Amino acid sequence: MESKHNKLISITKMVAFTSLAADPSVVNLGQGFPDIPPPSYVKEALAKAVSVDRMNQYTRGFGHPPLVKALSQVYGHVYGRPIDPFKEVLVTVGGYGSLFSTMQGLVEEGDEVIIIEPFFDCYVPMVRMAGAKPVFIPLRLKSGKKSITSADWYLDPDELSSKFTSKTKAIIINTPNNPIGKILTRDELQMIADLCIKHDTLCFSDEVYEWLIYRGQQHVKIATLPGMWERTITIGSAGKTFSVTGWKLGWSIGPQHLIRHLQTVMQNTLYTCPTPLQEAVAQGLMLNMELIGQPECYFTSLAEELEGKRDRMAAIVQEAGMTPVIPEGGYFMLVDVSALNQDLSDMKTDDDDDEAYDYKFVKWMIKKKKLAAIPVTAFVSDQSTKDFEKYIRLCFIKVILQEEWSKMPQRPFY
Amino acid sequence: MGILNHLAAQLALIRKISIRNHQTTMSRRIHARRTEGVDKNVWVEFTQLAAEYKAVNLGQGFPDFSPPQFITEAFCKAVSGGPPMHQYTRAFGHPALVQSLAKFFSRIVGHDIDPFEDILVTVGAYQALFCAFQALIDEGDEVIIVEPFFDCYQPMVVMAGGKAVYVPLRPKEGTAVLSSGDWVLSAEELASKITPHTKAIVINTPNNPLGKVYKREELQMIADLCIKHDLLCFSDEVYEWLTYDGAKHVKIASLPGMWERTVTIGSGGKTFSATGWKVGWAMGSGHILKYMKTIHQNSIYHCATAAQEAVAQGFEREHELFGTPQSYFQQLPAMLHHRREKLASSLKGVGLQPIMPEGGYFMITDISSIAVDFKDSDTKDENYDFRFVKWLIKEKGLATIPVSAFYSPEHSKEFDKYIRFCFVKENSTLDAAEEILKKWSQNESSH
């Protein structure tokens, strides 16, 4: 009955944990989306858009003109180069939709795609759905150091180089990284760029958390390195930029000779994205474009707000006897649970005898401590499970991590 | 010092040149082969042209009037709802929406629809079609498409690795062809197209561009073949509420033996005159839908929350008012009936013969009686109707769509003397179109 695609993973691991954590008495720091309200001006812009007749009908397939023009302005400024709104930008259904259009447009049977572990879990099924083979390279922990920040994870240059073959079509990078929060440094990006150029491969750069950069850190776009614009697709997200994940709008930016293939995929998959949402995002971008450098600019103010939550989360985790990995960016934090030495032998697993420690730990934590997280081995391939199974992922873009945390009656882990 | 600076400048220049060499396209083929042959798109081409020439737009199928107030209010209410309205909802469909769709359509289909198993919400009906083809069609499968067809079916079949097999609707012999009801499918011709490789048949009722509303007997004929040959049926019913002259929309999934093999596709955009919201759905037996869910989960994953909430509220309201004069599903076809008449009379007034559609947004008309000298040598290799439509946009400021775009490459030259008008427009737009047609006709007759 079904087609070849159904050899794909049909239930993601996230879906399975969502039902466990749905119990209202559980504090859910697993799901990767905000429960803080979005800025009021984007909601107002959306309501206003719906009241304009034309905004309720189809717009330009590859992106609503006001939105692609706003993206061209904002990113033209960020990249330091002019970006053609009609040829070098594609608006998609979330960053997810950009990843899909990129894979379907540029990757096929016989190709290999390098994926850095840990990775956002959709990369693997998307590579497979495009008929290609994922090739993994793990981020490794600097030895002799008790991991305290995401900067302690690195890519081994020789190991990375060994993964490039004549079949390599592309490498996917995610910076800031989900789940670790690592921001790839300029040197690391240069190393990746050198390999892409040497082996004539593409680079798919997932930068949905690009604005969530904490003090002292800098986000560098690999597409701005010499020789990289012409071989890179850079992916962004309105949902992550404006805390509106439920709007599902994202974009791909790159050279025309690559973007046009993503546009072909778009016109044969869903044709166009919702108009009023695009109009509202365009307005949000233009408003913040004016405010760049000022404290009210959401591109920086959200990061400031989240840094406080990040630090509060880290303190809570330490108080509970676990070790946080302080992220340089993004809104997730890895937590090393091994110091607790928790006995999980009574966590009976119904389907998988060989279930990784972090899966068992999260189930135990949900049941016994009323706190939900995501096991980090959900983000790695089987061969790297042993290196990551002492970590769980917490999301800190949550209301509960406000200043009064210590006064709240509902305090999990106590 | 001077020498060092000079050397540094040379090095910089050499580096720049070597980078420039990398700036040309990659030496290997970049694109995936699945994008070959599906890169042309009639909508992209003609929408751009209509905008460029600021034409009176009766081309692309969207209303130029506003959606009903109750639905825009529902959207605004959703927007001012709490933070959950702006964050991810259930991937396969916002609970409020799938529940209201299940409740609404169960009584129409005559089957208890499970909101969580039997429904997938998608980004427009377009994405539902994509999921159906990707999930259910494999390399080597044949898919029967009834011509004329909404143009995306063909590239979607190709992208899934399948092979499209066409069977045309034909004007009935011996009658003057005045209505879309006069175009019929031959049972023998359809049966002859079925082979051991046939996986599915795609039907669209009411049909775009012709406007045909398949009668129960016609659907029964198709159903009999689907059951006999164990085929799937993809039924695109986005215009299901728009029928005229008493024509009744029948759901093929409601016929005996068909629920278990049919994917029925619907559209919030066409239902509530809000095409820009891009909320659609696929409905069918869970054992088929589950494969479409896998595709959805690995391509888009979630659809926008607030728009789904608004469409859910729309269906709740229509559930209460079903069959009454206040129902939008009564009011919209009644309003469009008048627009249909208005456009038809404008066309007849200048000697054109439209084919009256029994349903949908569109009307097609034969243009073979008009003689035009295309001075445009750029388009000389294109089908006659493509050239005509472009000329009409550029020279007369009126946008339509060439009907051969809705035919297979094999048959498009046989049907290149029709153009398609959308009449789901304000009276003022139809008046402007009439002005253009009148003036044009007067110019012709004065020569």
Side-chain angles (χ1 to χ4, degrees), chain A residues 1 3 53 56-58 96 104-105 107-108 130 168-169 200 240 243 245-248 267-268 270 275, chain B residues 27-30 32-34 38-39 66 86-87 126 134-135 199 270 273 275-278 297 300 305:
Chain A
M1 148 85 68
S3 79
D53 286 358
N56 291 300
Q57 308 304 335
Y58 294 130
Y96 215 95
Q104 289 287 308
V107 174
E108 62 181 349
T168 308
K169 190 67 177 288
D200 198 23
K240 305 293 195 280
S243 307
T245 61
W247 287 26
K248 286 293 294 193
Q267 83 195 18
N268 289 298
L270 51 104
T275 314
Chain B
S27 54
R28 65 210 291 187
R29 180 171 47 82
I30 298 167
R33 270 164 297 195
R34 68 177 68 80
V38 297
D39 50 327
S66 55
H86 298 282
Q87 307 306 334
Y126 213 99
Q134 287 286 311
K199 188 77 179 285
K270 301 293 193 293
S273 307
T275 60
W277 291 16
K278 292 291 289 187
Q297 186 178 294
I300 298 301
T305 312

Side-chain angles (χ1 to χ4, degrees), chain B residues 311-323:
Chain B
V311 174
Q313 294 308 316
F315 272 99
E316 286 299 311
R317 176 202 194 258
E318 287 301 311
H319 188 263
E320 297 299 306
L321 296 173
F322 193 68

Side-chain angles (χ1 to χ4, degrees), chain A residues 228-242:
Chain A
M228 288 306 287
W229 168 258
E230 37 278 9
R231 57 181 70 250
T232 305
I233 297 283
T234 306
I235 292 166
S237 157
K240 305 293 195 280
T241 298
F242 289 113

